Coordinates of all heavy atoms in Angstrom, one line a residue:
E26 N -7.6 12.8 10.3 CA -8.0 14.1 10.9 C -8.8 15.0 9.9 O -9.8 15.5 10.2 CB -6.8 14.9 11.5 CG -7.2 16.2 12.1 CD -6.0 16.9 12.7 OE1 -4.8 16.5 12.5 OE2 -6.2 18.0 13.3
R27 N -8.3 15.1 8.7 CA -8.9 15.9 7.7 C -10.3 15.3 7.3 O -11.2 16.1 7.0 CB -8.1 15.9 6.4 CG -6.8 16.8 6.5 CD -5.9 16.5 5.4 NE -6.5 16.8 4.1 CZ -6.0 16.4 3.0 NH1 -4.9 15.6 2.9 NH2 -6.6 16.7 1.8
A28 N -10.5 14.0 7.5 CA -11.8 13.3 7.2 C -12.7 13.3 8.4 O -13.8 12.8 8.3 CB -11.5 11.9 6.7
G29 N -12.2 13.8 9.5 CA -13.1 13.8 10.7 C -13.2 12.5 11.4 O -14.1 12.2 12.1
R30 N -12.2 11.6 11.2 CA -12.2 10.3 11.8 C -11.5 10.3 13.1 O -10.6 11.1 13.4 CB -11.6 9.3 10.8 CG -12.1 9.3 9.4 CD -13.5 8.9 9.3 NE -13.8 7.6 10.0 CZ -15.0 7.1 10.1 NH1 -16.1 7.7 9.5 NH2 -15.2 5.9 10.7
T31 N -11.8 9.3 13.9 CA -11.2 9.1 15.2 C -10.4 7.9 15.4 O -9.8 7.6 16.5 CB -12.3 9.1 16.3 OG1 -13.2 8.1 16.1 CG2 -13.0 10.5 16.4
E32 N -10.3 7.1 14.3 CA -9.5 5.8 14.4 C -8.0 6.2 14.6 O -7.5 7.3 14.2 CB -9.6 5.0 13.1 CG -11.0 4.4 12.9 CD -12.0 5.3 12.3 OE1 -11.7 6.4 12.0 OE2 -13.2 4.8 12.2
R33 N -7.2 5.3 15.2 CA -5.8 5.5 15.4 C -5.0 4.9 14.3 O -5.3 3.8 13.8 CB -5.4 4.9 16.8 CG -6.1 5.6 18.0 CD -5.5 5.0 19.3 NE -5.8 3.6 19.4 CZ -4.9 2.7 19.4 NH1 -3.7 3.0 19.2 NH2 -5.3 1.4 19.6
P34 N -4.0 5.6 13.8 CA -3.2 5.1 12.7 C -2.5 3.7 13.0 O -2.4 2.9 12.1 CB -2.1 6.2 12.5 CG -2.7 7.4 13.0 CD -3.6 7.0 14.2
E35 N -2.2 3.5 14.2 CA -1.6 2.2 14.6 C -2.5 1.0 14.4 O -2.1 -0.1 14.4 CB -1.2 2.3 16.1 CG -0.1 3.3 16.4 CD -0.7 4.7 16.6 OE1 -1.9 4.9 16.5 OE2 0.1 5.6 16.8
E36 N -3.8 1.3 14.2 CA -4.7 0.2 13.9 C -4.8 -0.3 12.5 O -5.4 -1.3 12.2 CB -6.1 0.6 14.3 CG -6.3 1.0 15.8 CD -7.6 1.7 16.1 OE1 -8.3 2.1 15.2 OE2 -7.9 1.8 17.3
F37 N -4.0 0.4 11.6 CA -4.1 0.1 10.2 C -2.9 -0.7 9.7 O -1.8 -0.6 10.3 CB -4.2 1.4 9.4 CG -5.5 2.2 9.5 CD1 -5.8 2.9 10.7 CD2 -6.4 2.1 8.5 CE1 -7.0 3.6 10.8 CE2 -7.6 2.8 8.6 CZ -7.9 3.5 9.8
R38 N -3.1 -1.3 8.6 CA -2.0 -2.0 7.8 C -1.8 -1.3 6.5 O -2.8 -0.8 5.9 CB -2.2 -3.4 7.6 CG -2.1 -4.3 9.0 CD -2.5 -5.7 8.7 NE -3.9 -5.8 8.4 CZ -4.5 -6.9 8.0 NH1 -3.8 -8.0 7.8 NH2 -5.8 -7.0 7.8
R39 N -0.6 -1.3 6.0 CA -0.3 -0.6 4.7 C 0.0 -1.6 3.6 O 0.6 -2.6 3.8 CB 0.9 0.3 4.9 CG 1.3 1.1 3.6 CD 2.4 2.1 3.8 NE 3.7 1.6 4.0 CZ 4.6 1.5 3.1 NH1 4.4 1.9 1.8 NH2 5.8 1.0 3.3
Y40 N -0.6 -1.3 2.4 CA -0.4 -2.1 1.2 C 0.1 -1.3 0.1 O -0.2 -0.1 -0.1 CB -1.7 -2.8 0.9 CG -2.2 -3.7 2.0 CD1 -3.1 -3.2 2.9 CD2 -1.8 -5.0 2.1 CE1 -3.6 -3.9 3.9 CE2 -2.3 -5.8 3.1 CZ -3.2 -5.3 4.1 OH -3.7 -6.0 5.1
G41 N 0.9 -1.9 -0.8 CA 1.4 -1.2 -2.0 C 2.0 -2.1 -3.0 O 1.9 -3.3 -2.9
S42 N 2.7 -1.5 -3.9 CA 3.3 -2.3 -5.1 C 4.5 -3.1 -4.7 O 5.4 -2.5 -4.1 CB 3.5 -1.4 -6.2 OG 4.1 -2.1 -7.3
A43 N 4.6 -4.3 -5.1 CA 5.8 -5.1 -5.0 C 6.8 -4.8 -6.1 O 7.9 -5.2 -6.1 CB 5.5 -6.6 -5.0
R44 N 6.3 -4.0 -7.1 CA 7.1 -3.5 -8.2 C 7.6 -4.7 -9.1 O 8.6 -4.5 -9.8 CB 8.3 -2.6 -7.8 CG 7.8 -1.4 -7.0 CD 9.0 -0.4 -6.7 NE 8.5 0.8 -6.1 CZ 8.5 1.0 -4.8 NH1 9.0 0.0 -4.0 NH2 8.1 2.1 -4.2
G45 N 6.9 -5.8 -9.1 CA 7.3 -6.9 -9.9 C 6.8 -6.8 -11.3 O 7.2 -7.5 -12.2
L46 N 5.8 -5.9 -11.6 CA 5.2 -5.8 -12.9 C 5.8 -4.6 -13.7 O 5.4 -4.3 -14.8 CB 3.7 -5.6 -12.8 CG 2.9 -6.8 -12.2 CD1 1.5 -6.4 -12.2 CD2 3.2 -8.0 -13.0
Y47 N 6.8 -3.9 -13.0 CA 7.4 -2.7 -13.7 C 8.2 -3.0 -14.9 O 8.4 -2.2 -15.8 CB 8.3 -2.0 -12.7 CG 7.6 -1.1 -11.7 CD1 6.2 -1.2 -11.4 CD2 8.3 0.0 -11.2 CE1 5.6 -0.4 -10.6 CE2 7.6 0.9 -10.3 CZ 6.3 0.7 -10.0 OH 5.6 1.5 -9.2
H48 N 8.8 -4.2 -15.0 CA 9.8 -4.5 -16.0 C 9.4 -5.7 -16.8 O 8.8 -6.7 -16.3 CB 11.2 -4.7 -15.4 CG 11.7 -3.6 -14.5 ND1 12.0 -2.4 -15.0 CD2 11.8 -3.6 -13.1 CE1 12.4 -1.6 -14.0 NE2 12.2 -2.3 -12.8
F49 N 9.8 -5.7 -18.1 CA 9.5 -6.8 -19.0 C 10.3 -8.0 -18.6 O 11.5 -7.8 -18.3 CB 9.8 -6.4 -20.4 CG 9.8 -7.5 -21.4 CD1 8.5 -8.0 -21.8 CD2 10.9 -8.1 -21.9 CE1 8.5 -9.0 -22.7 CE2 10.8 -9.2 -22.8 CZ 9.6 -9.6 -23.2
K50 N 9.7 -9.1 -18.6 CA 10.4 -10.4 -18.3 C 10.3 -11.3 -19.5 O 9.2 -11.6 -19.9 CB 9.9 -11.1 -17.1 CG 10.1 -10.3 -15.8 CD 9.5 -11.1 -14.6 CE 9.8 -10.4 -13.3 NZ 9.2 -9.1 -13.2
V51 N 11.4 -11.7 -20.0 CA 11.4 -12.5 -21.3 C 10.7 -13.8 -21.0 O 10.1 -14.4 -22.0 CB 12.9 -12.8 -21.8 CG1 13.6 -13.7 -20.8 CG2 12.9 -13.3 -23.2
D52 N 10.6 -14.3 -19.8 CA 9.9 -15.6 -19.5 C 8.5 -15.5 -19.8 O 7.8 -16.5 -20.0 CB 10.2 -16.0 -18.1 CG 11.6 -16.4 -17.9 OD1 12.3 -16.7 -18.8 OD2 12.1 -16.5 -16.7
N53 N 8.0 -14.3 -19.8 CA 6.5 -14.0 -20.0 C 6.2 -13.8 -21.4 O 5.0 -13.6 -21.8 CB 6.0 -12.8 -19.1 CG 6.2 -13.1 -17.7 OD1 6.1 -14.2 -17.2 ND2 6.4 -12.0 -16.9

């Protein structure tokens, strides 16, 4: 709405962090 768009939120998919890189792993 703030951007003046008319697309519906239900049409989108969300992506984010799996948080797998947050911690040190000795195997690496």
Side-chain angles (χ1 to χ4, degrees):
E26 181 179 6
R27 289 167 58 199
R30 307 297 307 179
T31 59
E32 291 83 0
R33 295 185 296 112
E35 295 80 5
E36 299 171 346
F37 290 76
R38 291 174 292 170
R39 180 171 74 98
Y40 302 89
S42 176
R44 301 188 175 98
L46 298 179
Y47 275 26
H48 306 289
F49 172 77
K50 294 182 176 63
V51 68
D52 292 342
N53 297 331

